[in-house]
Amino acid sequence: MILELKNITMQFGGVTAIDNLNFGVKSGEIYGLIGPNGAGKTTLFNIVTGNYIQTKGTVIFNHEELSGVKPNEIVLKGIARTFQNIRLFKSMSVLENVLIGFHHQANYTYIESIFRLPRHFSNEKKIKKEAMVILEKFGIADLADTNSSSLSYGNQRKVEIARALATNPRLLLLDEPAAGMNPSETEDLSNIIKKIKTEFGLTILLIEHDMKFVNNMCDKVLVLDYGEQIFEGKPSDAIVDEKVVAAYLGDFEHA
Amino acid sequence: MDISTFVQQMINGISLGSMYALIAIGYTLVYGVLRLINFAHGDIMMVGAFVAYLAQNAGVPFELAVILAIIAAMVTGILTDKIAYKPLRNAPKISLLITAIGISFFLENLFNVLFGGVPRAFSAPDYLTKIIHYDGIIVPVTVIIIPVVTLILLFIILWILNKTKYGMAIRSLAFDIPTVKLMGINADIIIMLVFAIGSALAAVGGIFYAVSYPSIDPLMGVIVGLKAFAAAVLGGIGSVAGAVIGGFILGFTEIVVVAFMPDLGGYKDAFAFIFLILVLLFKPTGIMGQDLDRSRF
Amino acid sequence: MKIIKLVMLSVAILFVIFAQNNLDPYTVSILNNMAIFGILALSYNLINGVAGQFSLEPNGFVAIGAYVTALLILPASSKIDMFALEDPAPIILAMHTSFFPALLMSGIVAAVLAFILSIPVFRVRGDYLAIVTLGFGFIIRIFAMNQTKYTNGAMGLNDIPGNANLLWTGGIIIVTFIVMLNVIYSKYGRAMKAVRDDEDAATAMGINTFWIKTYAFMTSAFFEGVGGGLMASLLTTISPDQFTFLLTFQLLIIIVLGGLGSMSGTLIGAVLVMGGTEWLRFLDQNMDIFGYNTGAHPGLRMVVFSILLIIMMLFARKGIFGSSELTDIFKRGKQ
């Protein structure tokens, strides 16, 4: 198990968003988190990334307990994420966005950057090369100098994943990677995700509503409803599970 | 030290604290709703005091001058929002803050050009400035009236916030703007109301200040505004009760330190700043505050 | 690209040397003024424009820099003569260096104070930076007024040796400009922009936003301290009333006009605003319009400037240069 969540409960001022949740993700797996809106999926991401501190329970990553570790330190331990509503650095180019992910892999101090000492140049050259390699894998190397805010939606998603990959993670958290994409873009993206997963030896935890995408991608899924776990197992079994179907129908009624 | 001096200083502390509280409420309401430090708020207090002064000079009786001042401050506050802040609701926050500083500087310099920088004596009717002697305690009537009026205003504000539809909308707006839109309440009206309430209270605070000291000048709102903001943070930004508590703590501290440690008198204006730093270091949410930034993800 | 930069640098250096030796004193004094405000505005733009943290600190740090340099380059004998309210403290009498170390010291003291302010401010979200730095400016003034044995109180310091000239101010603005660009085009500058664009996303990339903001703030403070030192030596007399919020406001106008985040824009902004301040001087004085005397209106210029600032924010938020540099514009031109 690369990631284990034990007895996780999260309350916001009396409202229980996640109720006593237990699950584990095996190394090399693509694990899906599904469930109606407001089921607590993104909340769970925010607990794993240290943005929220759970009311109860423990998160164990790579045999190490994560409680009290700050969000930026969790990245250094090997967990990277994307956001539900793409959050690129809008004033920067595609390449610069990815370079931010390489921040800690460039070894020069602030003083060295002020005086432009040799290590500044050698390290910048190194990370720029590596950033271009990642962009090529996503097929967007030609967009390197384009401003990130002028990209198409699909390409913005790719940049966001590329940027997360640049931090050299072992576990990648993707929050609705296929949202807002057309079928061909979705297919393109799932191929890339599968490719980078093998090449970089990643484990992937993803939130998604597109059941076709989930079916095609995930080895295992966990279904959440109102913060409670109602199903864990193969995606093909999930869609025929009574409880799961009921939960989704309930969601439609509310909407 | 004898007991009457002590009581006298306590009364002064309550009075000064009330003034800070009145001004701090405006900061806390605007911050709660817009997440904006309204740098111009202290200057709106100055506008209120000046209008009261000018109206009296024109022969208007004090009581009517106060009402005119409150109206003028409300109009200034609402116009500031409509002209300068509203167009920037979706802009980066730094644009909004820069504009707020611009408005503050504009008001200060406009009044400086129109009326000069020399402090002007502010006159108030005798029933306010009369000195009371009671058992060795010597205080002007104002220091009694100020807390009483503040208390009444506070009850009105709390009633509006807790019992009226618009007040409840202000409180929910402080947490999540989209939800309020869904509820069918016009956020623009709520924001206007917030500026109106805050500015009216600032005008009252400004007049109290002018009666107590008793002079006014175009820069009078700068330091008082800064202190009131510190009071709001101390009490917990976003919370009206917090702003009042913060205002009183600050008012008491200033009076007590100056009365009993006269050597520190020159540093009186620095206490608010020290409080601000200490709160940020040890309890950024303040005494009554909730973490307004929690639901960002 | 490299050649263009070298040519620009040589032209700048030659111009400074030429101007110092050949131009009339009035023009040189205006150029000095532009250079000092340029240094201050460049450093101010790093924290505000590049890192996106709204701060109102310059007047405080400039005051500190001015006092440190003045006290370091004033000889002990003139300190004894000058301090009227209280005798100077022994340490004040003992401290003495030449001009350059004094400037460095000004920068270092300001940077250390910036670090101390960073701790309460940047641990929480940056919202409070503006109000804390605004308050800091007042506090510094209160201390300068009250700590008479260190500062001579409201009487200020006079007869400060006039070491500074256009070679100093011009040289230091060139250095400041280069340092700022070096920071911007490094991983630290990128991280500052990331924090400005989206702080949560920057954190999610492993960036320690506290340190990134603190670096930007300390660097700003350092050059503001140095600028303050230059100002003290150029004016030869300083007092607490010189370092009011007005100073910060002028710098704010410069960086907004030039473009928040653009160092090239800042230089243009400094020339325009300082030139404009000089040109608009008539506004504050007596005017005869159609035979009607308006009387003197001290502060009218500032009314004009504050309206300008508000209009800029409402209608031209990007300023002249946006957040790009001259070199970026060249690059884009080539494509």
Side-chain angles (χ1 to χ4, degrees), chain C residues 162-210:
Chain C
N163 304 59
N165 56 24
L166 194 57
L167 296 182
W168 280 99
T169 58
I172 290 178
I173 194 174
I174 292 172
V175 171
T176 312
F177 186 67
I178 293 172
V179 167
M180 292 302 157
L181 290 186
N182 283 355
V183 170
I184 291 175
Y185 292 107
S186 76
K187 70 167 189 170
Y188 296 97
R190 266 197 310 268
M192 286 171 196
K193 289 192 253 173
V195 169
R196 171 188 71 194
D197 283 2
D198 189 332
E199 193 168 342
D200 297 321
T203 306
M205 292 286 100
I207 306 268
N208 185 329
T209 56
F210 172 83

Side-chain angles (χ1 to χ4, degrees), chain A residues 102-198:
Chain A
F102 278 105
H103 187 81
H104 288 282
Q105 290 158 64
N107 278 311
Y108 57 90
T109 61
Y110 192 58
I111 300 292
E112 281 172 300
S113 77
I114 288 179
F115 294 105
R116 282 287 153 109
L117 299 182
R119 286 218 298 175
H120 166 92
F121 292 103
S122 59
N123 276 282
E124 280 291 306
K125 212 172 151 189
K126 185 190 82 183
I127 62 169
K128 268 178 197 153
K129 215 171 122 194
E130 289 176 31
M132 288 310 294
V133 171
I134 292 189
L135 287 179
E136 268 159 32
K137 291 207 193 306
F138 282 85
I140 47 174
D142 54 322
L143 297 173
D145 289 328
T146 312
N147 190 292
S148 64
S149 55
S150 59
L151 295 179
S152 72
Y153 192 78
N155 281 336
Q156 290 195 20
R157 279 272 176 225
K158 285 183 191 169
V159 175
E160 210 195 14
I161 300 173
R163 185 179 74 173
L165 211 54
T167 65
N168 193 20
R170 298 193 53 197
L171 173 67
L172 189 58
L173 309 181
L174 303 176
D175 200 340
E176 300 195 24
M181 286 189 167
N182 62 39
S184 78
E185 281 177 325
T186 308
E187 202 185 317
D188 181 29
L189 186 75
S190 28
N191 291 336
I192 291 173
I193 293 177
K194 280 180 186 162
K195 190 173 82 179
I196 58 163
K197 191 204 116 182
T198 4

Side-chain angles (χ1 to χ4, degrees), chain B residues 45-67:
Chain B
M45 158 201 154
M46 176 272 293
V47 171
F50 257 92
V51 170
Y53 166 85
L54 294 170
Q56 284 197 86
N57 270 12
V60 176
F62 179 76
E63 296 74 12
L64 191 58
V66 170
I67 292 169

Side-chain angles (χ1 to χ4, degrees), chain B residues 184-223:
Chain B
I185 295 175
N186 186 342
D188 285 336
I189 291 179
I190 303 305
I191 292 168
M192 199 172 97
L193 191 65
V194 162
F195 276 94
I197 295 175
S199 305
L201 295 180
V204 176
I207 292 166
F208 284 160
Y209 185 94
V211 173
S212 309
Y213 281 91
S215 77
I216 58 169
D217 68 90
L219 295 179
M220 65 188 277
V222 179
I223 297 252

Side-chain angles (χ1 to χ4, degrees), chain C:
Chain C
M1 206 67 217
K2 214 161 198 177
I3 294 168
I4 298 178
K5 282 183 195 161
L6 279 176
V7 169
M8 280 162 69
L9 181 63
S10 331
V11 169
I13 292 171
L14 287 175
F15 174 74
V16 169
I17 297 169
F18 166 82
Q20 168 70 25
N21 295 323
N22 298 292
L23 296 180
D24 63 286
Y26 177 68
T27 315
V28 169
S29 82
I30 290 181
L31 286 177
N32 264 320
N33 216 8
M34 284 177 180
I36 288 192
F37 273 80
I39 293 166
L40 301 177
L42 286 171
S43 26
Y44 191 34
N45 207 347
L46 188 70
I47 183 74
N48 271 316
V50 179
Q53 307 297 308
F54 187 48
S55 167
L56 296 168
E57 90 287 357
N59 58 331
F61 290 141
V62 171
I64 289 188
Y67 272 93
V68 169
T69 291
L71 290 169
L72 278 171
I73 60 175
L74 271 167
S77 56
S78 21
K79 288 176 194 161
I80 294 178
D81 290 345
M82 191 193 317
F83 276 56
L85 303 164
E86 212 175 338
D87 282 338
I91 181 172
I92 293 293
L93 284 177
M95 56 200 258
H96 185 72
T97 65
S98 55
F99 189 45
F100 185 67
L103 288 181
L104 272 186
M105 205 55 206
S106 287
I108 291 169
V109 172
V112 168
L113 278 166
F115 175 69
I116 294 171
L117 284 181
S118 291
I119 297 170
V121 173
F122 291 141
R123 282 188 337 139
V124 291
R125 265 177 201 281
D127 276 6
Y128 295 125
L129 179 64
I131 202 93
V132 166
T133 47
L134 184 65
F136 177 73
F138 283 108
I139 301 296
I140 290 298
R141 216 169 133 250
I142 293 172
F143 273 82
M145 296 288 250
N146 287 287
Q147 289 292 335
T148 44
K149 64 181 170 204
Y150 298 103
T151 62
N152 202 23
M155 303 184 68
L157 302 172
N158 312 308
D159 298 326
I160 303 163
N163 304 59
N165 56 24
L166 194 57
L167 296 182
W168 280 99
T169 58
I172 290 178
I173 194 174
I174 292 172
V175 171
T176 312
F177 186 67
I178 293 172
V179 167
M180 292 302 157
L181 290 186
N182 283 355
V183 170
I184 291 175
Y185 292 107
S186 76
K187 70 167 189 170
Y188 296 97
R190 266 197 310 268
M192 286 171 196
K193 289 192 253 173
V195 169
R196 171 188 71 194
D197 283 2
D198 189 332
E199 193 168 342
D200 297 321
T203 306
M205 292 286 100
I207 306 268
N208 185 329
T209 56
F210 172 83
W211 278 110
I212 290 299
K213 291 186 243 176
T214 302
Y215 282 150
F217 193 41
M218 285 175 73
T219 312
S220 285
F222 179 86
F223 285 100
E224 279 156 6
V226 172
L230 283 172
M231 203 183 253
S233 171
L234 206 62
L235 300 173
T236 70
T237 163
I238 56 171
S239 70
D241 283 334
Q242 255 165 287
F243 307 101
T244 58
F245 182 68
L246 177 64
L247 177 67
T248 299
F249 193 79
Q250 284 173 301
L251 297 173
L252 191 61
I253 300 257
I254 292 175
I255 63 173
V256 166
L257 192 65
L260 282 172
S262 166
M263 296 298 160
S264 321
T266 303
L267 292 182
I268 310 249
V271 171
L272 289 179
V273 172
M274 296 328 286
T277 312
E278 205 55 35
W279 176 65
L280 288 173
R281 202 172 277 282
F282 72 89
L283 280 179
D284 285 10
Q285 289 156 357
N286 278 312
M287 277 186 284
D288 282 306
I289 299 173
F290 304 121
Y292 169 75
N293 188 296
T294 58
H297 286 300
L300 191 55
R301 268 189 301 173
M302 288 307 132
V303 175
V304 172
F305 275 126
S306 40
I307 293 173
L308 174 72
L309 183 76
I310 296 164
I311 290 177
M312 287 287 304
M313 285 333 281
L314 291 177
F315 303 108
R317 237 184 297 144
K318 288 186 182 291
I320 297 171
F321 272 71
S323 62
S324 36
E325 301 296 340
L326 262 183
T327 45
D328 300 330
I329 294 166
F330 281 140
K331 263 190 216 162
R332 249 176 260 151
K334 268 192 205 165
Q335 277 172 5

Side-chain angles (χ1 to χ4, degrees), chain B residues 8-33:
Chain B
Q8 186 175 319
Q9 296 301 356
M10 286 299 113
I11 297 173
N12 285 332
I14 293 175
S15 172
L16 185 63
S18 307
M19 269 188 266
Y20 290 150
L22 284 176
I23 299 159
I25 291 173
Y27 278 111
T28 224
L29 286 178
V30 170
Y31 190 91
V33 170

Side-chain angles (χ1 to χ4, degrees), chain A residues 3-255:
Chain A
L3 178 75
E4 270 180 279
L5 282 85
K6 291 182 178 166
N7 309 317
I8 297 289
T9 298
M10 182 77 214
Q11 287 170 330
F12 294 112
V15 180
T16 305
I18 291 178
D19 194 9
N20 197 29
L21 198 67
N22 286 284
F23 74 94
V25 181
K26 277 198 211 114
S27 192
E29 226 172 18
I30 298 186
Y31 194 104
L33 272 179
I34 57 177
N37 285 326
K41 303 176 302 272
T42 300
T43 305
L44 202 65
F45 266 27
N46 283 325
I47 291 172
V48 176
T49 57
N51 290 111
Y52 292 161
I53 295 165
Q54 66 270 30
T55 319
K56 261 186 245 155
T58 47
V59 179
I60 296 166
F61 175 67
N62 210 6
H63 312 294
E64 190 186 347
E65 202 185 315
L66 288 186
S67 46
V69 185
K70 291 189 185 122
N72 60 309
E73 294 165 351
I74 281 183
V75 180
L76 302 183
K77 291 192 184 295
I79 302 180
R81 75 176 293 174
T82 64
F83 294 92
Q84 194 174 337
N85 45 342
I86 309 179
R87 292 171 80 162
L88 291 177
F89 303 117
K90 291 196 184 77
S91 72
M92 299 195 212
S93 70
V94 168
L95 179 63
E96 283 178 308
N97 264 279
V98 178
L99 287 175
I100 292 288
F102 278 105
H103 187 81
H104 288 282
Q105 290 158 64
N107 278 311
Y108 57 90
T109 61
Y110 192 58
I111 300 292
E112 281 172 300
S113 77
I114 288 179
F115 294 105
R116 282 287 153 109
L117 299 182
R119 286 218 298 175
H120 166 92
F121 292 103
S122 59
N123 276 282
E124 280 291 306
K125 212 172 151 189
K126 185 190 82 183
I127 62 169
K128 268 178 197 153
K129 215 171 122 194
E130 289 176 31
M132 288 310 294
V133 171
I134 292 189
L135 287 179
E136 268 159 32
K137 291 207 193 306
F138 282 85
I140 47 174
D142 54 322
L143 297 173
D145 289 328
T146 312
N147 190 292
S148 64
S149 55
S150 59
L151 295 179
S152 72
Y153 192 78
N155 281 336
Q156 290 195 20
R157 279 272 176 225
K158 285 183 191 169
V159 175
E160 210 195 14
I161 300 173
R163 185 179 74 173
L165 211 54
T167 65
N168 193 20
R170 298 193 53 197
L171 173 67
L172 189 58
L173 309 181
L174 303 176
D175 200 340
E176 300 195 24
M181 286 189 167
N182 62 39
S184 78
E185 281 177 325
T186 308
E187 202 185 317
D188 181 29
L189 186 75
S190 28
N191 291 336
I192 291 173
I193 293 177
K194 280 180 186 162
K195 190 173 82 179
I196 58 163
K197 191 204 116 182
T198 4
E199 278 184 43
F200 291 84
L202 294 173
T203 306
I204 294 174
L205 177 62
L206 60 84
I207 295 174
E208 191 48 74
H209 283 297
D210 182 343
M211 280 313 287
K212 204 179 142 217
F213 181 83
V214 171
N215 229 336
N216 169 21
M217 298 286 293
C218 297
D219 302 306
K220 210 172 180 185
V221 292
L222 178 81
V223 186
L224 282 178
D225 190 26
Y226 291 108
E228 283 183 59
Q229 168 180 343
I230 56 172
F231 177 87
E232 190 186 15
K234 280 200 184 134
S236 50
D237 296 337
I239 38 180
V240 292
D241 186 270
E242 264 177 36
K243 270 188 186 166
V244 175
V245 173
Y248 267 91
L249 282 177
D251 189 41
F252 295 139
E253 273 167 24
H254 282 300

Side-chain angles (χ1 to χ4, degrees), chain B residues 156-236:
Chain B
I156 297 173
I157 296 302
L158 288 175
W159 179 79
I160 292 176
L161 285 179
N162 290 310
K163 299 283 179 221
T164 67
K165 178 179 142 194
Y166 287 105
M168 284 189 273
I170 289 176
R171 291 197 302 147
S172 56
L173 204 55
F175 291 96
D176 190 359
I177 293 186
T179 321
V180 176
K181 282 194 180 138
L182 286 178
M183 281 161 59
I185 295 175
N186 186 342
D188 285 336
I189 291 179
I190 303 305
I191 292 168
M192 199 172 97
L193 191 65
V194 162
F195 276 94
I197 295 175
S199 305
L201 295 180
V204 176
I207 292 166
F208 284 160
Y209 185 94
V211 173
S212 309
Y213 281 91
S215 77
I216 58 169
D217 68 90
L219 295 179
M220 65 188 277
V222 179
I223 297 252
V224 181
L226 197 64
K227 287 179 182 176
F229 182 82
V233 175
L234 173 62

